[in-house]
Amino acid sequence: KLGRRRLNLENSRQALNTPIQGGAADVMKSIAVAVYERRLEVPGLEIVGLVHDEILATVPEEHAAAAAALVHEVMKEVGEESTNIGVDEGKRVPVEAETKVCDSWAEKE
Protein backbone atom coordinates (compact mmCIF):
# COMPACT_ATOMS: atom_id res chain seq x y z
CA LYS A 1 0.00 0.00 0.00
CA LEU A 2 2.75 2.45 0.89
CA GLY A 3 5.14 1.37 -1.87
CA ARG A 4 6.89 -1.49 -0.09
CA ARG A 5 8.45 -4.02 -2.45
CA ARG A 6 8.79 -7.70 -1.61
CA LEU A 7 11.80 -9.29 -3.27
CA ASN A 8 13.28 -12.80 -3.18
CA LEU A 9 10.38 -14.56 -1.48
CA GLU A 10 11.37 -18.19 -1.03
CA ASN A 11 8.08 -19.79 0.03
CA SER A 12 4.36 -19.24 0.54
CA ARG A 13 4.82 -18.51 4.27
CA GLN A 14 7.00 -15.52 3.38
CA ALA A 15 4.55 -14.43 0.71
CA LEU A 16 1.76 -14.37 3.32
CA ASN A 17 3.81 -12.94 6.18
CA THR A 18 5.74 -10.09 4.55
CA PRO A 19 2.69 -7.95 3.68
CA ILE A 20 1.53 -8.16 7.30
CA GLN A 21 4.87 -7.39 8.91
CA GLY A 22 5.82 -4.85 6.27
CA GLY A 23 2.46 -3.14 6.54
CA ALA A 24 2.74 -2.96 10.32
CA ALA A 25 6.21 -1.44 9.98
CA ASP A 26 4.91 1.13 7.50
CA VAL A 27 2.07 2.10 9.85
CA MET A 28 4.46 2.52 12.79
CA LYS A 29 6.82 4.66 10.71
CA SER A 30 3.90 6.87 9.66
CA ILE A 31 2.85 7.23 13.29
CA ALA A 32 6.41 8.04 14.42
CA VAL A 33 6.72 10.74 11.74
CA ALA A 34 3.38 12.26 12.78
CA VAL A 35 4.34 12.27 16.48
CA TYR A 36 7.69 13.85 15.59
CA GLU A 37 5.98 16.54 13.50
CA ARG A 38 3.64 17.39 16.41
CA ARG A 39 6.24 17.03 19.21
CA LEU A 40 6.41 20.78 19.83
CA GLU A 41 2.80 20.71 21.06
CA VAL A 42 4.09 19.12 24.29
CA PRO A 43 7.13 20.81 25.84
CA GLY A 44 10.10 18.47 26.05
CA LEU A 45 8.52 15.57 24.15
CA GLU A 46 11.23 13.49 22.51
CA ILE A 47 10.93 10.13 20.77
CA VAL A 48 13.77 7.93 21.99
CA GLY A 49 12.88 4.67 20.28
CA LEU A 50 10.50 2.44 18.37
CA VAL A 51 10.16 -1.20 19.38
CA HIS A 52 7.82 -3.28 17.22
CA ASP A 53 4.46 -1.59 17.85
CA GLU A 54 5.60 0.76 20.61
CA ILE A 55 6.84 4.34 20.63
CA LEU A 56 9.14 5.20 23.52
CA ALA A 57 9.27 8.87 24.42
CA THR A 58 10.63 11.01 27.20
CA VAL A 59 8.96 14.13 28.50
CA PRO A 60 9.15 16.21 31.67
CA GLU A 61 6.85 14.68 34.29
CA GLU A 62 4.52 17.69 34.38
CA HIS A 63 3.75 17.16 30.67
CA ALA A 64 3.37 13.36 30.78
CA ALA A 65 -0.43 13.34 30.58
CA ALA A 66 -0.45 15.73 27.62
CA ALA A 67 2.22 13.64 25.86
CA ALA A 68 0.25 10.43 26.41
CA ALA A 69 -2.91 12.06 25.04
CA LEU A 70 -1.09 13.36 21.96
CA VAL A 71 0.60 10.04 21.21
CA HIS A 72 -2.68 8.16 21.70
CA GLU A 73 -4.54 10.52 19.37
CA VAL A 74 -1.86 10.29 16.68
CA MET A 75 -1.61 6.50 16.94
CA LYS A 76 -5.36 6.08 16.40
CA GLU A 77 -5.75 8.71 13.66
CA VAL A 78 -2.63 7.96 11.64
CA GLY A 79 -2.91 4.24 12.31
CA GLU A 80 -6.42 4.12 10.89
CA GLU A 81 -5.50 6.37 7.98
CA SER A 82 -2.44 4.28 7.04
CA THR A 83 -4.15 0.93 7.59
CA ASN A 84 -7.19 1.79 5.49
CA ILE A 85 -5.62 3.32 2.38
CA GLY A 86 -7.92 2.52 -0.53
CA VAL A 87 -10.51 0.74 1.65
CA ASP A 88 -14.20 1.53 1.16
CA GLU A 89 -15.78 3.40 4.09
CA GLY A 90 -17.95 0.45 5.16
CA LYS A 91 -14.97 -1.91 5.28
CA ARG A 92 -12.47 0.26 7.17
CA VAL A 93 -10.65 -1.40 10.06
CA PRO A 94 -10.55 0.49 13.37
CA VAL A 95 -7.16 0.80 15.06
CA GLU A 96 -6.89 0.64 18.82
CA ALA A 97 -4.03 2.19 20.76
CA GLU A 98 -2.91 2.17 24.35
CA THR A 99 -0.58 4.59 26.07
CA LYS A 100 0.99 4.38 29.46
CA VAL A 101 3.05 6.83 31.49
CA CYS A 102 5.95 5.14 33.29
CA ASP A 103 9.20 6.08 34.96
CA SER A 104 10.94 3.30 32.98
CA TRP A 105 10.12 0.95 30.13
CA ALA A 106 10.21 -1.95 32.61
CA GLU A 107 7.08 -0.51 34.29
CA LYS A 108 4.95 -0.53 31.15
CA GLU A 109 3.26 -3.88 31.84
Side-chain angles (χ1 to χ4, degrees):
K1 288 184 179 182
L2 297 173
R4 181 175 293 276
R5 295 175 16 183
R6 299 179 298 152
L7 304 173
N8 303 320
L9 299 177
E10 297 176 10
N11 57 49
S12 61
R13 181 189 60 76
Q14 287 179 342
L16 293 172
N17 191 32
T18 58
I20 295 167
Q21 287 190 346
D26 289 339
V27 169
M28 280 307 297
K29 286 188 285 185
S30 297
I31 291 168
V33 167
V35 170
Y36 178 80
E37 289 174 345
R38 293 184 59 186
R39 73 193 183 285
L40 299 178
E41 295 177 27
V42 179
L45 176 62
E46 182 178 342
I47 296 174
V48 295
L50 300 174
V51 180
H52 302 289
D53 62 347
E54 297 180 11
I55 295 176
L56 308 175
T58 59
V59 65
E61 191 170 346
E62 64 268 20
H63 301 296
L70 174 73
V71 170
H72 186 266
E73 173 188 330
V74 169
M75 288 183 80
K76 283 193 61 62
E77 288 178 6
V78 175
E80 286 183 8
E81 180 181 300
S82 297
T83 300
N84 291 298
I85 293 174
V87 176
D88 293 334
E89 189 65 35
K91 296 180 180 180
R92 294 177 65 85
V93 176
V95 171
E96 296 299 323
E98 182 180 325
T99 56
K100 187 167 183 180
V101 175
C102 308
D103 288 325
S104 74
W105 193 29
E107 292 180 11
K108 69 180 184 69
E109 293 299 326

